[in-house]
Amino acid sequence: MSLHHPIDFSGKLAQGWLFLHRCPAENVRDLLPAGLELIEHEGYAFWNVVACRVEHLRPTALEAAPWDGLAFWHIAYRLMVRHGETEGLYFVRSDCDNPWVTLGGNWCTDFHFQTASVTCQSDDRWAYLRVRATD
């Protein structure tokens, strides 16, 4: 993560899932900025999508304050990439159901937040996650 304005935060991941998906590399190559290249295998690129519920997020400087922090869903769509010898994840986009997190997240990070509607229902056997973005 490349912070634009470094601030330390604390919070809790309350619920989440990680999905890995492959797609033809030529379908996503244009999503990368100059200097990054896709990690490929047999012509496929790899998405790493995380959907998580974050609770009690606040700057660590405010941990003692009576404020409980922010709660939100964060769905991050990331591609597996390489820059020289370094491998990592490039955030193509993040959807979030809290407009304050979208605003602050775009100020503090390069996660490319967009505000979206997120619905989640789950139990021990299944999960239903629906993300609706305006764009």
Side-chain angles (χ1 to χ4, degrees):
M1 173 173 76
S2 169
L3 288 179
H4 301 291
H5 303 281
I7 300 172
D8 290 329
F9 285 90
S10 66
K12 174 185 172 189
L13 292 178
Q15 190 174 16
W17 301 272
L18 175 66
F19 305 97
L20 300 174
H21 176 71
R22 72 177 190 170
C23 70
E26 66 268 10
N27 291 359
V28 295
R29 196 176 318 281
D30 291 342
L31 298 175
L32 299 180
L36 293 181
E37 64 179 276
L38 291 169
I39 293 175
E40 296 181 41
H41 180 71
E42 297 180 1
Y44 288 99
F46 300 92
W47 285 98
N48 175 299
V49 180
V50 64
C52 62
R53 177 75 180 165
V54 179
E55 295 178 350
H56 312 296
L57 182 74
R58 59 185 167 183
T60 53
L62 298 177
E63 282 182 322
W67 175 53
D68 199 29
L70 297 171
F72 58 96
W73 278 98
H74 180 198
I75 297 83
Y77 310 90
R78 309 171 302 184
L79 285 169
M80 297 176 72
V81 297
R82 173 181 300 113
H83 182 265
E85 296 297 315
T86 304
E87 294 183 352
L89 297 170
Y90 172 70
F91 281 73
V92 175
R93 174 194 178 105
S94 290
D95 287 324
C96 174
D97 66 345
N98 185 316
W100 292 107
V101 174
T102 298
L103 180 66
N106 286 331
W107 183 71
C108 291
T109 73
D110 56 2
F111 291 1
H112 307 286
F113 280 99
Q114 306 293 321
T115 302
S117 169
V118 179
T119 303
C120 180
Q121 299 172 341
S122 66
D123 66 18
D124 293 343
R125 297 167 290 147
W126 60 272
Y128 170 81
L129 183 71
R130 180 171 156 176
V131 181
R132 287 191 166 213
T134 57
D135 62 347

